Amino acid sequence: MKIVKEISVWLLTLVILIPLFLVVINSVKTSAEADSMNLSFPKHIQFNNYATVIKEGKMIRAFKNSMIITVGSVLLTNIASAMGAFVLSRRRTKLNKMLYYYFIVGLIAPVNMIPTIKIMQSLHIMNTFQGIILLYSALMMPFTVFLYYGFIHSVPREMDESAVIDGSNAWQLFFRIQYPLLMPVTITSLLINFMNAWNDFILPLYVFNKSTNNPMTLAVYNFYGTYISSWNLVCAAIVLTTLPIVIVYLFGQRYIVSGMLSGAVKG
């Protein structure tokens, strides 16, 4: 049985690795070689494909836009969710319990883009970084509150009481005492929310109508429309877009597993 399980895991791994290898290997081929989209190695490696993509696809500007959107939404989501989950966990009133269940509903409720866009237009935040950061934060907050809420149960209330006796106010109690203790869940939510915001394609497509605001996912889409016959350049654009998220995942995969278990089980 153990051998069967190992073989099954390797087969599942190949299902993921083969498409990734296909994109990487075709990103350094000539246009003629990449047309067949096979797994053969190129006769001559074409690293200049990446230089062409960066220049023609305006990838540097798109990278800056993605970083602004992703980092802004992730930081806002984590700080607001941690503060909200702390209050909901420590003050078990009927109202707070209803608010917690309201957040949980957000985990499964679909996003209706028509009223969302109407609200953003009325607030004059359509086609702005501020608007999409707030939108991402609203979408990621239910899951993040859920993680923090479960983990905060494991922190003894006596620590809160000791801090208050020592003269700490509400802000000092949270940021100096509680927030450092939430580091496992904080790192987990940071990494997961970063990957979700970076990889998203739908929301920027609806919110932005100026190419100067496009993140890397939309830059790849526009580049594909322009260079649809140049699969080597398209693959190079995909590699550049996915590289940051692969690095983030490889760096934080152990934190993701441990933090999600802590947030879901503790308490």
Side-chain angles (χ1 to χ4, degrees):
M1 286 298 295
K2 185 177 181 181
I3 296 176
V4 174
K5 290 181 180 179
E6 290 183 359
I7 293 175
S8 301
V9 171
W10 276 107
L11 291 175
L12 291 174
T13 303
L14 289 176
V15 171
I16 298 173
L17 292 180
I18 289 177
L20 180 62
F21 178 76
L22 180 68
V23 172
V24 173
I25 201 66
N26 281 279
S27 68
V28 291
K29 292 182 179 180
T30 62
S31 180
E33 291 176 325
D35 284 342
S36 59
M37 287 297 289
N38 54 43
L39 296 174
S40 62
F41 286 90
K43 295 179 180 179
H44 301 285
I45 296 178
Q46 306 290 327
F47 285 117
N48 60 324
N49 290 343
Y50 289 94
T52 302
V53 168
I54 292 173
K55 180 179 178 181
E56 301 296 331
K58 298 179 174 58
M59 285 296 175
I60 295 179
R61 182 181 66 190
F63 178 81
K64 292 179 181 178
N65 293 342
S66 290
M67 288 300 296
I68 292 172
I69 295 168
T70 304
V71 173
S73 59
V74 166
L75 291 179
L76 177 60
T77 300
N78 277 65
I79 294 175
S81 298
M83 295 172 66
F86 177 68
V87 174
L88 295 176
S89 178
R90 286 298 193 250
R91 296 182 179 179
R92 301 293 187 85
T93 63
K94 291 184 178 180
L95 177 60
N96 284 347
K97 183 174 289 188
M98 290 177 60
L99 288 174
Y100 175 69
Y101 289 140
Y102 178 76
F103 278 108
I104 296 301
V105 171
L107 291 172
I108 58 175
V111 180
N112 194 321
M113 290 307 303
I114 295 178
T116 300
I117 291 174
K118 290 294 184 181
I119 292 173
M120 294 181 69
Q121 289 175 341
S122 63
L123 296 175
H124 303 289
I125 55 176
M126 192 69 177
N127 201 39
T128 64
F129 289 133
Q130 298 93 321
I132 198 168
I133 286 173
L134 290 173
L135 183 55
Y136 274 130
S137 298
L139 294 175
M140 296 186 295
M141 200 169 290
F143 175 74
T144 312
V145 168
F146 172 75
L147 284 183
Y148 275 114
Y149 186 90
F151 190 85
I152 290 173
H153 284 309
S154 65
V155 181
R157 289 177 176 269
E158 289 76 11
M159 297 189 66
D160 302 357
E161 297 169 357
S162 299
V164 172
I165 292 173
D166 290 337
S168 298
N169 57 34
W171 295 99
Q172 292 171 334
L173 170 62
F174 178 75
F175 285 105
R176 292 186 180 181
I177 307 298
Q178 289 292 335
Y179 199 62
L181 299 175
L182 304 177
M183 195 54 62
V185 177
T186 298
I187 296 176
T188 300
S189 57
L190 283 172
L191 294 173
I192 294 176
N193 291 335
F194 184 93
M195 290 189 290
N196 289 337
W198 186 279
N199 286 331
D200 187 55
F201 171 80
I202 298 298
L203 290 186
L205 182 64
Y206 280 111
V207 173
F208 291 143
N209 54 31
K210 293 193 303 184
S211 60
T212 54
N213 292 342
N214 285 349
M216 293 195 73
T217 49
L218 280 186
V220 172
Y221 175 73
N222 293 331
F223 191 84
Y224 170 77
T226 305
Y227 295 88
I228 189 171
S229 61
S230 302
W231 284 104
N232 57 333
L233 299 181
V234 173
C235 288
I238 295 173
V239 171
L240 289 175
T241 303
T242 56
L243 186 60
I245 211 67
V246 170
I247 294 174
V248 169
Y249 177 77
L250 292 176
F251 169 76
Q253 57 180 333
R254 63 189 182 95
Y255 295 104
I256 293 175
V257 175
S258 61
M260 287 190 69
L261 289 176
S262 299
V265 175
K266 286 189 177 181

